[in-house]
Every structure is written in structure tokens, then in C-alpha cells.
Amino acid sequence: MCQTHQGSWSAALILNTVVTLLLPVSGYAKGDWKLFPLGDTHHVSKLSDKPTRFLTKGDIPDRPRLLLELGDPFLDTGNLGAGFELPTGAVWQPRLWVFATLRSAVQTQEDRQSPINPTGERITEWVNRLDLFANLQLTGTEKLIIGIRPFDKNRPGQFTRYTFEPNNNDGFRSELNADVRTFFFEGDLGSLFPNLDPQGQTWLDFGFAVGRQPIQFQENILINDFVDSVGIVRNNIRLPGISDLRVTALYGWDELDRNDGRTNPQSDMFGLFLSGDQSKNTWNLDFIYVDDSLPNGQGDAFYVGFVSIQRLGLLNANFRVNSSFAQNTDTAQVGDGTLFSIELAWTPYTSDDIIYLNTFWAIDNFTQAGREPIVGGPLGTFGILFASPNIGSFASELISFSNDVAGGALGYQAFWDNHRRHVVLEFGARKDTSGDGLDDYGFGMQFQQAFGRRCVLQLDAYYALQESRDDATGLRMEILIQF
């Protein structure tokens, strides 16, 4: 009986939160209530044939400054520094920009079982994350990026935090560190060696990046990780029926995180990624092979992903298939499986609101080639209920891993105040097709409001019905500040 009362109280609290947030922004308080579209509307007219006035510096607000700007400021007006010329003919104009994003959240979650919380006991915490970057910009294409996250150690339970619940783990915990999370150089061969092609007519324009860098393909479904790697890309390849073909080759040698959260410093990753634009659609075809160096090839696997992106009338539609093929038997690192998904989105007339329906079906056990430990599973791209907040011990509201499961998310995102305020309302479900009887259904809400030019307030709430388990609830309040 206590569990029932507690679940009812949580559901009522979440419903009250949703109503409280929506009434001030829906137009009800102004006496002009409208049901649809929920967000701001605007008059739609034909393009004007009259010229508009050119906006001058006085019409545009002054830009917010970064933490540190040495050399030419970031996105400022005025003349650029002359720089200096290299023997290769390249002209470098060094600029150092330092910027950061600070996230601080108070969050609570109960009866959501996860690897970090297998019993599903209530976890309540105040948790912090700082992403600090230095960008040494040499030209428009050449730059060196270094980044650290001094408040966490890139594991769900290893963030600088104060824990209120459970009582046996309460108190302050510091996870301060100086580990380098991002460190890479990127550029273009044609820009580095312009003397080799003064007319710009040879195939010298190859982009490249080398170092510890984010590798994300198929909307983070195929891989979502930071990997020590080198990549080479060629853009603007023309073929019959294809206006633009992009080809990327990638080799990674370290920092690849597998499906079990383990990092193998001896794993090798080889990738080939293709992207093409055609008259009616854009497509991506991606291949990855991982040699994990475990005995008997237990961690070796081949991955392939394909997506077609197009308009279907008023709908934006993505049709996607991703597969993983273990070269030996299924292990904690890799599995055999295929994930099919369809993503549909529509914007109501006269508004910028978005209605979306994302569905998926996983046959057997699809696993990602690489997954950063704090980001959750491959289903995280399909809705706020499946996405991890990537901070602290708060797991995704519905399980985001793709092992014999079907489901989806139906949501509505509304915008107000020139997109400075938005609300997402979402219903999600996952059906366990393995027969274990672990179906989940949930309702979630997310509210964001910008304050000034650097701060965003975010509120999240959800209630989930879990078959054969107690209902799960969660609330979050987060402040994000950009410097």
C-alpha cells in the first residue's frame, strides 16, 4: 500500500509540474487559449519584393565574450590580424579561445534499475559537470582543440556530487581530475600547402583530423565515443545521380569503449563512411570493423549502418538500419543483432513546433562499435525518455539498450519567446520481444528556459510503468551556464 500511495503521489507531482509550466506559456493567462499549435504562431506570407534595411552594429547586440580571447576575438567585427606566412604558402593567424559549459543538477530517481543501481533504490543527488576547452585557431580550417572535464571521471557514478539518498552513501564526493578527454588537430591539406596547388585545380583538398576526438555516426546509434584516431575526408565528389559524395576513412588505436563500458588500449578500429546527396534524398552508408585483441577474437565485430533522409509530403522521414556482427560468439562486449528504425517529424502550419514519431525494432542483440560510458545505449536518439542526461547517476527513463525489443516515442515540442523557451511532452514504450515480460511504458516532460545570454534552466519529469517491477519516477532540475 505504501508503494501505491508513493507512486500516486509521484504521478500527481509530475502532472502538477506539467500544468504549472504550460499555463503561463500557452496563452491561457492572456485569455486567448488555443489548443493547437501549442507554441507561438506567426503569419505566413509570400516573400517580400521590397528590400530590407541593412542591419548595422547598433542594431545587433554586442557578442558575449569567451573566458579568454588572445589574438582576434571570437566572432567579433573589425580587421583581422595580418598573421604570418609559412614556407608552404599558408597564412596563419593564431588565436587562442578558451570556453566552457558548466552543468549543475539536483535530481532524484526511484525504481529505475541500471548497472550503477541494480536494486532500483531511490538516488537523490546534487551533481556537477564542467566541460572546459581551449581552441588554438590557426586559420579558418586549421585548429588544435584540447578539452578536460575536471569534475567527473567519465563514469555514471563518478561525478563531483553531494548524495542525499541512499543514506549509506550520503555526503560529498569529489572526483576532481585533470584527465584530457579531447585533444586533436584538424585541417585541410590544400590549406596547409597552397603552393602545391596555386590554381586550386588538383585533388589536394583532403580534410583530416588526428588525436582524441568525438566519433559519432548514424545519429550516435552505430558509434558514440571519444577515440584516439586519425581520419581523412574528401568532400564534393561528383558521380552520376549524386551531386555531392563525401568519403571518410578512419583508423582508431585507443580509448574505444565497448558495450560493457570497458576501455581496451589495444583495440583497433577501422571505418569507412559514405554520405551522398541526391535529388530527393540524402543517404549515409557506414562500415566499422573492430579488432579487440581479446583471446579467440571474442571482442572482434563488424558493424554497418544505412540511413535515407527525405521529405514525404509534409513529413521529414528517416529510414535507418544498423547491424552488428560478432566475429565469434556474443559476449559482454559485442553481440549479433539488427536495429530497424523510422523517424517521422512534422511542423504544424504557422508555427515552429515539432510533432515526432520515432519507432524501432531490434532483432537479437544489436551493440554499438563504441559507446562512451555516460551516454547510455543506442535507443537514446529516439526520444527524451530513452536519452541519458549524461550527468551523475540518473539513468535514461526507459532502458536504452537494444536487445530483442520494439517500441517508440510519440512527442510534441513547442517553442515560445523566439525559441528561448520550449517544452517537450512525450509518451514512450518498449516491448520486450524475448518473452521475458519486461515491457515499459512512460510519460516524460522537459522544460527549458533561457535567461540572459549564457544561462539555461531545464526541468525534467517522468513516470514509467514497468511490467513485473515497481513503477519508476524521476525529477531533475538543471542549470547550464556557458562561458
Side-chain angles (χ1 to χ4, degrees):
M1 181 174 294
C2 292
Q3 290 179 346
T4 302
H5 286 169
Q6 188 176 32
S8 300
W9 176 85
S10 300
L13 178 59
I14 293 173
L15 179 61
N16 181 72
T17 303
V18 173
V19 173
T20 302
L21 291 173
L22 287 182
L23 283 180
V25 298
S26 64
Y28 178 80
K30 304 174 185 177
D32 57 350
W33 168 262
K34 58 179 176 17
L35 180 62
F36 182 81
L38 187 61
D40 283 339
T41 58
H42 50 80
H43 177 66
V44 179
S45 62
K46 68 177 183 178
L47 294 176
S48 175
D49 55 1
K50 297 181 180 179
T52 58
R53 185 176 64 86
F54 182 78
L55 298 180
T56 64
K57 185 177 180 180
D59 300 313
I60 303 173
D62 292 335
R63 66 182 185 90
R65 296 182 178 274
L66 304 182
L67 281 176
L68 177 65
E69 297 176 330
L70 299 179
D72 295 324
F74 178 67
L75 294 181
D76 201 5
T77 59
N79 297 326
L80 298 176
F84 58 90
E85 184 174 350
L86 300 180
T88 62
V91 177
W92 282 9
Q93 302 161 302
R95 292 150 283 175
L96 178 63
W97 301 327
V98 178
F99 53 96
T101 299
L102 174 65
R103 299 175 60 191
S104 184
V106 177
Q107 52 195 24
T108 182
Q109 190 173 44
E110 185 176 23
D111 292 322
R112 169 62 171 91
Q113 296 177 345
S114 65
I116 193 175
N117 184 20
T119 63
E121 62 182 331
R122 176 179 288 277
I123 294 180
T124 304
E125 60 186 0
W126 169 47
V127 62
N128 301 276
R129 169 174 172 169
L130 177 66
D131 294 70
L132 178 63
F133 295 95
N135 177 7
L136 178 59
Q137 193 81 24
L138 302 174
T139 71
T141 53
E142 279 69 45
K143 59 185 176 182
L144 176 68
I145 302 288
I146 183 170
I148 61 174
R149 298 215 311 258
F151 289 174
D152 72 273
K153 296 181 179 177
N154 202 30
R155 291 293 186 274
Q158 297 183 15
F159 282 73
T160 297
R161 66 194 184 277
Y162 188 95
T163 301
F164 301 95
E165 299 175 284
N167 294 331
N168 60 359
N169 195 33
D170 61 353
F172 180 76
R173 175 73 178 269
S174 173
E175 300 288 356
L176 295 178
N177 68 91
D179 297 339
V180 176
R181 303 295 180 192
T182 306
F183 187 27
F184 67 92
F185 179 83
E186 70 175 20
D188 182 272
L189 293 179
S191 178
L192 282 174
F193 303 97
N195 286 344
L196 297 179
D197 184 22
Q199 302 299 322
Q201 296 178 347
T202 65
W203 274 45
L204 188 61
D205 290 326
F206 285 88
F208 68 92
V210 57
R212 185 165 300 172
Q213 55 188 315
I215 307 298
Q216 299 166 328
F217 285 94
Q218 294 291 328
E219 292 292 330
N220 303 332
I221 296 175
L222 195 66
I223 182 171
N224 184 13
D225 203 359
F226 283 74
V227 183
D228 291 349
S229 57
V230 56
I232 299 177
V233 58
R234 174 67 191 186
N235 291 305
N236 302 322
I237 302 175
R238 293 187 179 182
L239 294 175
I242 301 178
S243 60
D244 179 21
L245 176 66
R246 182 177 68 247
V247 180
T248 304
L250 180 77
Y251 168 65
W253 63 86
D254 198 2
E255 290 295 313
L256 182 66
D257 297 291
R258 307 312 304 279
N259 194 57
D260 60 350
R262 178 185 60 88
T263 303
N264 186 351
Q266 299 179 346
S267 61
D268 294 317
M269 182 182 72
F270 306 88
L272 179 64
F273 310 99
L274 311 175
S275 177
D277 293 326
Q278 296 183 279
S279 59
K280 294 184 179 180
N281 73 318
T282 294
W283 55 265
N284 295 280
L285 179 60
D286 304 319
F287 304 93
I288 296 176
Y289 179 76
V290 175
D291 181 359
D292 198 282
S293 74
L294 289 175
N296 302 319
Q298 294 181 20
D300 299 351
F302 178 72
Y303 306 84
V304 60
F306 175 79
V307 62
S308 177
I309 306 168
Q310 57 276 302
R311 298 286 297 182
L312 298 178
L314 298 177
L315 294 177
N316 181 65
N318 295 355
F319 300 97
R320 197 183 304 269
V321 57
N322 287 269
S323 294
S324 59
F325 304 93
Q327 298 303 288
N328 200 315
T329 59
D330 283 16
T331 66
Q333 293 81 30
V334 299
D336 274 320
T338 299
L339 176 61
F340 299 94
S341 60
I342 300 175
E343 301 165 61
L344 303 175
W346 171 58
T347 297
Y349 184 68
T350 74
S351 81
D352 292 334
D353 294 358
I354 299 173
I355 301 173
Y356 60 89
L357 173 63
N358 302 328
T359 60
F360 57 83
W361 177 29
I363 301 175
D364 296 329
N365 182 24
F366 168 75
T367 56
Q368 296 162 287
R371 176 175 58 84
E372 191 181 6
I374 64 170
V375 299
L379 303 183
T381 190
F382 298 122
I384 61 173
L385 289 170
F386 296 96
S388 168
N390 304 339
I391 180 172
S393 305
F394 199 96
S396 61
E397 288 86 337
L398 299 180
I399 298 173
S400 60
F401 296 99
S402 48
N403 188 353
D404 286 318
V405 64
L410 174 64
Y412 191 108
Q413 183 176 23
F415 298 93
W416 296 270
D417 192 19
N418 294 319
H419 288 219
R420 291 176 57 83
R421 182 188 309 121
H422 87 221
V423 167
V424 179
L425 304 175
E426 181 178 289
F427 171 78
R430 60 189 318 274
K431 172 68 176 178
D432 181 6
T433 58
S434 67
D436 291 338
L438 297 177
D439 301 345
D440 298 330
Y441 307 90
F443 174 78
M445 172 283 268
Q446 181 182 96
F447 170 84
Q448 283 190 348
Q449 173 67 59
F451 293 95
R453 304 176 68 184
R454 298 182 182 271
C455 182
V456 175
L457 169 68
Q458 177 172 318
L459 304 176
D460 298 273
Y462 82 94
Y463 190 93
L465 303 173
Q466 303 182 127
E467 186 178 9
S468 304
R469 293 155 291 162
D470 293 335
D471 296 347
T473 58
L475 291 169
R476 300 184 67 252
M477 181 179 71
E478 177 178 325
I479 295 291
L480 182 149
I481 305 175
Q482 293 184 320
F483 302 97

